[in-house]
């Protein structure tokens, strides 16, 4: 890069707002027992103004952000970039089968590298609204307290690493390193096999021993919201309260609701429904129908007394046959 270009880039960076994120590192993963159980990443964000905060993001949020940025800035001809195009870093692909925790753990180094390269793009990309909102600490982020962040003393190598100089450690996958200090944003210094040297943080994960007092039933445990569900059959009604680690304001997807109800009632051939104000069952077929059900439930919530931790909408589960036999007040 030429000196004039470097000066222009530095000038552009100097003019960025202080709340622009400049680095982000995954500090931990958390399991969320929602309508579908999943893991999300606990991310420490540092801004240009030196402030630090935590955000919580799922892989699907990384994926959605990447699609938006690709649509806005990717060029079909990488050899000839336009004034508003750039080369985006590759995002780790979706994994459909496997242990969810292991998948989340394995993605940490790749997503750390992705975020590092993403925040190293031209300054005009850093001002993109979608990117800024991804790294923005929402009210929900700020109110959430991580149960226990990973302890940074004992990183474990996720990949083999061969040092390029005497100052760099050689690591083998699975080796546990004793951490001495942080050298800079990207490099750590530690000891392994009686050798001391530096190594890139993206090649290791951090081991977190859980404190003995850290259990679900204690004061530091999670809070749950409950959904009242009814399985309607010719022989009667089976009522269940399904408790999930989600906020009452969440709008789950149709796919997640259907999967959860199949698991709850142990029946595959089912359909999801809700009751309208007249007591008739309305079939749910997609995410838009889920949104309509939730809106209707919220409109009626002042008329129906429910526990404070119960969703203002209810699910009525039937078989996929005709609904007419069930279209009476429950």
């Amino acid at each position: 890069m030429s000196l004039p270009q470097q000066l222009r880039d530095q000038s552009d960076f100097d003019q960025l707002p202080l709340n622009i994120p400049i680095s982000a590192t995954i500090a931990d993963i958390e399991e969320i027992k929602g309508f579908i159980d999943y893991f999300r990443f606990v991310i420490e964000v540092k801004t240009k103004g030196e402030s630090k905060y935590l955000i919580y993001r799922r892989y699907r949020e990384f994926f959605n952000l990447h699609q938006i940025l690709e649509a806005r800035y990717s060029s079909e001809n990488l050899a000839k970039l336009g004034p508003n195009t750039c080369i985006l870093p590759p995002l780790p692909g979706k994994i459909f089968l496997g242990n969810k925790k292991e998948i989340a753990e394995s993605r940490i180094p790749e997503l750390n590298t992705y975020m590092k390269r993403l925040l190293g793009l031209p300054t005009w990309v850093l001002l993109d609204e979608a990117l800024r909102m991804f790294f923005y600490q929402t009210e929900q982020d700020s109110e959430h307290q991580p149960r226990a962040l990973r302890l940074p003393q004992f990183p474990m190598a996720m990949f083999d690493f061969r040092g390029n100089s005497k100052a760099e450690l050689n690591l083998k996958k699975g080796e546990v390193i004793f951490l001495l200090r942080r050298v800079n944003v990207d490099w750590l210094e530690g000891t392994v096999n009686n050798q001391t040297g530096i190594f890139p943080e993206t090649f290791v994960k951090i081991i977190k021993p859980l404190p003995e007092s850290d259990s679900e039933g204690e004061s530091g445990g999670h809070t749950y919201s409950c959904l009242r569900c009814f399985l309607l059959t010719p022989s009667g009604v089976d009522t269940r309260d399904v408790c999930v680690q989600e906020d009452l304001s969440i709008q789950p997807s149709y796919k997640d609701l259907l999967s959860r109800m199949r698991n709850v009632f142990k029946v595959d051939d089912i359909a999801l429904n809700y009751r309208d104000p007249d007591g008739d069952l309305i079939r749910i077929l997609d995410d838009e129908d889920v949104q309509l059900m939730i809106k209707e439930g919220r409109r009626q919530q002042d008329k129906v007394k429910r526990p404070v931790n119960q969703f203002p909408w209810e699910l009525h589960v039937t078989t996929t046959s005709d609904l007419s036999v069930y279209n009476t007040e429950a």
Side-chain angles (χ1 to χ4, degrees), residues 203-222:
F203 276 71
V204 301
K205 73 172 184 179
I206 310 299
I207 301 171
K208 177 191 69 176
L210 288 174
E212 293 182 3
S213 61
D214 193 6
S215 60
E216 289 290 336
E218 298 182 9
S219 58
H222 299 289

Side-chain angles (χ1 to χ4, degrees), residues 113-258:
T113 299
Y114 175 77
M115 290 188 292
K116 176 188 174 183
R117 293 177 178 175
L118 195 63
L119 295 175
L121 291 175
T123 53
W124 48 269
V125 180
L126 299 184
L127 292 171
D128 182 272
E129 181 182 1
L131 188 146
R132 293 184 69 177
M133 288 305 300
F134 178 86
F135 289 105
Y136 175 74
Q137 187 184 46
T138 65
E139 183 178 354
Q140 193 171 5
D141 288 331
S142 63
E143 291 176 351
H144 181 75
Q145 294 296 322
R147 297 182 65 191
L149 290 181
R150 297 169 179 270
L151 299 179
Q153 285 80 12
F154 300 99
M156 183 171 73
M158 292 288 290
F159 309 98
D160 290 346
F161 173 73
R162 191 168 193 81
N164 294 320
S165 69
K166 292 182 178 180
E168 298 178 7
L169 276 180
N170 291 322
L171 302 177
K172 291 185 179 180
K173 182 178 179 180
E175 285 185 332
V176 176
I177 307 112
F178 180 82
L179 185 65
L180 297 176
R181 66 185 180 96
R182 176 177 290 279
V183 178
N184 55 37
V185 174
D186 304 312
W187 289 77
L188 305 172
E189 183 179 25
T191 298
V192 65
N193 297 328
N194 296 318
Q195 299 293 320
T196 298
I198 62 174
F199 55 93
E201 186 175 5
T202 53
F203 276 71
V204 301
K205 73 172 184 179
I206 310 299
I207 301 171
K208 177 191 69 176
L210 288 174
E212 293 182 3
S213 61
D214 193 6
S215 60
E216 289 290 336
E218 298 182 9
S219 58
H222 299 289
T223 57
Y224 287 81
S225 303
C226 294
L227 173 65
R228 180 64 56 88
C229 308
F230 306 92
L231 176 64
L232 310 181
T233 68
S235 60
V237 179
D238 183 1
T239 304
R240 304 281 182 91
D241 282 330
V242 177
C243 294
V244 295
Q245 191 187 325
E246 302 279 15
D247 189 81
L248 290 174
S249 62
I250 190 177
Q251 179 182 314
S253 69
Y254 168 75
K255 180 180 178 182
D256 287 353
L257 281 177
L258 183 63

